[in-house]
């Protein structure tokens, strides 16, 4: 065989490999292009429906007044979960700085390996004291706390009874467990009783509800829920993210507000709203449950420990609330000032006497347009639409803070009246 023929015979398999690789690469490009087209179509459908959620850029610290990229001057913020104004409280901020210097930026590890510091245990002790429960376990968020609880607590012989409007994190957490799942109509005690009767053959029964439902600002009927739980031998769990720190005489939450602190067995809540607003969540309840969560709760076992500055800030926030209930008690009058003035102006405000004040508008695009116009008046609010709320129930969720003045509230109402008239919502 000549040298040329030999070379050609050697190149044939190489060319075949190259052609095969080229085919695979083309297929990969086609797959990516097809996926991109699907994603772009989905995004366009969101824009067309008026439910696109643009993120505004804040160029200042969180507070009742903020700076927003693209807007001149100070903007009044009525769309934060900073209910007590502690996100920028000087003592809370200083506690974070002190913890950063003393303990560093982070642990680079999960809790059970080398991620637990004495400040984590101190905060857990303070939170258990605050809620008057036996023990506490910290998580990276309350979403993680809800994702990590039900799978550990409940098995195939158990039943979980969940309000149909519970937070998405509760729904996702329940999906992870193997218990029998029963949904009851929103805050409907008759339907809950019917479901409890269905679940009587189960080993354990757990009633699960938000203490306050974040999109509507309505408070769960905990007294009736606890009555049914005791009648049918069930436990009660509440998510207190939108109640901890400011509901109840001492700010302990909806269970204190409704006089059932000793009848609610498990409480999940957050550090990321009223308690400093940085990050983190937790579960408080019976010590055996907390001990078991430390052994088996996946979000706890596989997530880094909360950063020391976050823990320092939250600890100081809890200490302030343990020392005085003055901040919590300031909320009621301010909340009712806004609700009453808006109702008198012709707006429909959902919920009850809670700082979450949903201005009901129905149409998603209308809610978005009014929120944009409110920003031009110096008021920061956001339109909420599907899938955050049901279709046809779009709203602007106004949230009152203890840091708002009466003048701030009146300015917000005046801006709503002007924009509402422009869009034909009020006369």
């Amino acid at each position: 065989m000549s040298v040329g023929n030999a070379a050609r015979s050697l190149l044939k398999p190489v060319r075949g490999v190259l052609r095969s690789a080229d085919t695979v690469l083309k297929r990969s490009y086609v797959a990516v292009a097809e996926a991109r087209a699907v994603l772009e179509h989905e995004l366009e459908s969101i824009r067309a429906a008026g439910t696109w959620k643009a993120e505004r850029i804040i160029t200042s610290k969180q507070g009742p007044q903020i700076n927003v990229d693209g807007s001149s001057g100070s903007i009044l913020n009525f769309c934060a979960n900073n209910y007590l104004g502690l996100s920028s409280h000087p003592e809370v901020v200083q506690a974070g700085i002190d913890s950063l210097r003393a303990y560093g930026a982070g642990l680079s590890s999960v809790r059970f390996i080398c991620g637990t510091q004495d400040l984590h245990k101190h905060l857990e002790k303070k939170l258990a004291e605050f809620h008057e429960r036996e023990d506490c376990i910290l998580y990276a968020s309350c979403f993680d706390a809800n994702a990590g609880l039900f799978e550990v607590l409940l098995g195939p012989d158990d039943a979980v009874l969940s309000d149909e409007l519970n937070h998405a994190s509760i729904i996702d957490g329940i999906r992870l467990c193997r218990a029998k799942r029963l949904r009851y109509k929103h805050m409907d005690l008759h339907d809950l009783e019917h479901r409890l009767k269905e679940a009587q053959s189960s080993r354990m029964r757990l009633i699960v509800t938000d203490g306050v439902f974040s999109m509507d600002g309505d408070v769960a009927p905990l007294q009736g829920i606890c009555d049914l739980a005791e009648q049918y031998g069930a436990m009660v769990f509440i998510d207190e993210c939108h109640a901890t720190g400011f509901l109840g005489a001492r700010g302990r939450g909806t269970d204190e507000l409704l006089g059932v602190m000793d009848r609610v067995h498990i409480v999940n809540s957050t550090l990321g709203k009223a308690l400093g607003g940085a990050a983190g969540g937790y579960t408080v309840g019976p010590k055996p449950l907390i001990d078991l969560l430390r052994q088996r709760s996946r979000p706890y076992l596989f997530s880094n420990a909360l950063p020391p500055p976050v823990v320092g800030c939250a600890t100081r926030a809890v200490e302030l609330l343990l020392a005085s209930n003055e901040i919590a008690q300031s909320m009621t009058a301010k909340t009712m000032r806004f609700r009453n003035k808006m109702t008198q102006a012709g707006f429909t405000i959902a919920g009850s006497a809670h700082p979450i004040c949903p201005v009901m508008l129905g149409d998603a695009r209308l809610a978005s347009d009014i929120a944009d116009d409110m920003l031009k008046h110096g008021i920061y609010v956001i339109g909420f639409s599907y899938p955050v709320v049901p279709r046809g129930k779009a709203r602007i969720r106004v949230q009152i803070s203890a840091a708002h003045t009466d003048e701030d509230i009146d300015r917000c109402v005046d801006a709503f009246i002007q924009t509402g008239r422009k869009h034909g919502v009020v006369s």
Side-chain angles (χ1 to χ4, degrees), residues 227-242:
D227 289 344
L228 287 173
E230 290 164 6
Q231 181 179 349
Y232 290 95
M235 296 184 295
V236 178
F237 162 97
I238 55 174
D239 180 309
E240 286 286 80
C241 287
H242 290 275

Side-chain angles (χ1 to χ4, degrees), residues 50-116:
T51 57
W52 183 266
K53 294 159 190 65
E55 294 183 0
R56 295 173 179 166
I57 309 301
I58 297 173
T59 59
S60 65
K61 62 186 176 183
Q62 181 65 278
Q65 296 189 10
I66 56 176
N67 296 325
V68 179
D69 187 35
S71 298
S72 59
S74 181
I75 304 296
L76 283 175
N77 187 6
F78 279 88
C79 195
N81 298 318
N82 185 25
Y83 293 108
L84 299 176
L86 296 180
S87 295
S88 53
H89 190 287
E91 292 185 38
V92 172
V93 173
Q94 188 59 50
I97 294 170
D98 293 344
S99 296
L100 177 64
R101 288 174 176 159
Y103 290 93
L107 278 301
S108 305
S109 185
V110 301
R111 288 278 300 267
F112 82 94
I113 299 178
C114 61
T116 296

Side-chain angles (χ1 to χ4, degrees), residues 168-400:
S169 59
I170 293 176
I171 295 170
D172 285 356
I174 288 174
R175 284 173 178 163
L176 293 172
C177 78
R178 295 190 294 160
K180 182 179 181 181
R181 289 170 278 184
L182 301 168
R183 286 198 309 169
Y184 63 92
K185 296 175 183 177
H186 181 48
M187 301 202 309
D188 187 327
L189 295 177
H190 293 294
D191 195 44
L192 173 57
E193 183 171 19
H194 177 69
R195 303 301 173 195
L196 282 166
K197 289 176 180 178
E198 283 186 47
Q200 280 307 286
S201 62
S202 299
R203 180 186 63 170
M204 290 194 300
R205 290 157 296 285
L206 180 67
I207 301 171
V208 175
T209 181
D210 283 351
V212 173
F213 293 84
S214 62
M215 289 299 109
D216 297 295
D218 46 5
V219 179
L222 289 183
Q223 292 173 330
I225 288 173
C226 290
D227 289 344
L228 287 173
E230 290 164 6
Q231 181 179 349
Y232 290 95
M235 296 184 295
V236 178
F237 162 97
I238 55 174
D239 180 309
E240 286 286 80
C241 287
H242 290 275
T244 297
F246 57 93
L247 281 194
R250 300 170 300 152
R252 299 313 192 252
T254 55
D255 55 351
E256 181 185 49
L257 177 71
L258 299 175
V260 292
M261 286 190 74
D262 58 341
R263 302 170 70 192
V264 171
H265 307 97
I266 307 167
V267 176
N268 277 9
S269 194
T270 182
L271 307 174
K273 293 182 172 59
L275 302 184
Y282 57 90
T283 299
V284 292
K287 185 173 178 13
L289 169 64
I290 303 304
D291 288 343
L292 187 60
L293 291 173
R294 292 192 196 280
Q295 300 302 311
R296 292 185 179 173
S297 181
R298 291 162 69 87
Y300 178 83
L301 291 171
F302 295 100
S303 296
N304 270 19
L306 277 176
V310 171
V311 178
C313 288
T315 300
R316 188 61 191 134
V318 175
E319 288 171 347
L320 289 171
L321 296 177
L322 283 169
S324 171
N325 60 8
E326 183 178 349
I327 302 176
Q329 289 183 340
S330 72
M331 296 292 294
T332 303
K334 294 179 180 182
T335 296
M336 296 316 298
R337 184 183 187 91
F338 178 82
R339 284 181 169 272
N340 290 338
K341 283 179 173 286
M342 287 290 285
T343 302
Q344 290 166 9
F347 290 95
T348 300
I349 311 299
S352 53
H354 189 277
I356 292 175
C357 305
V359 182
M360 303 304 294
L361 298 165
D363 181 73
R365 192 177 300 281
L366 175 63
S368 179
D369 289 346
I370 288 181
D372 289 342
D373 284 346
M374 289 286 287
L375 187 60
K376 296 173 186 176
H377 287 276
I379 308 294
Y380 188 108
V381 291
I382 295 292
F384 284 67
S385 56
Y386 181 83
V388 180
V389 297
R391 295 185 193 275
K393 293 190 177 181
R395 70 207 56 189
I396 289 175
R397 188 182 70 177
V398 174
Q399 290 164 277
I400 307 300

Side-chain angles (χ1 to χ4, degrees), residues 112-145:
F112 82 94
I113 299 178
C114 61
T116 296
Q117 293 173 321
D118 55 351
L119 82 172
H120 293 98
K121 301 304 294 183
H122 180 65
L123 176 55
E124 288 171 337
K125 181 179 178 181
K126 287 289 182 183
L127 287 167
E129 178 187 350
F130 182 80
H131 286 281
E132 300 179 5
R133 270 30 180 227
E134 290 180 18
D135 204 355
C136 172
I137 180 173
L138 291 172
Y139 287 89
S141 68
C142 191
F143 201 111
D144 279 349

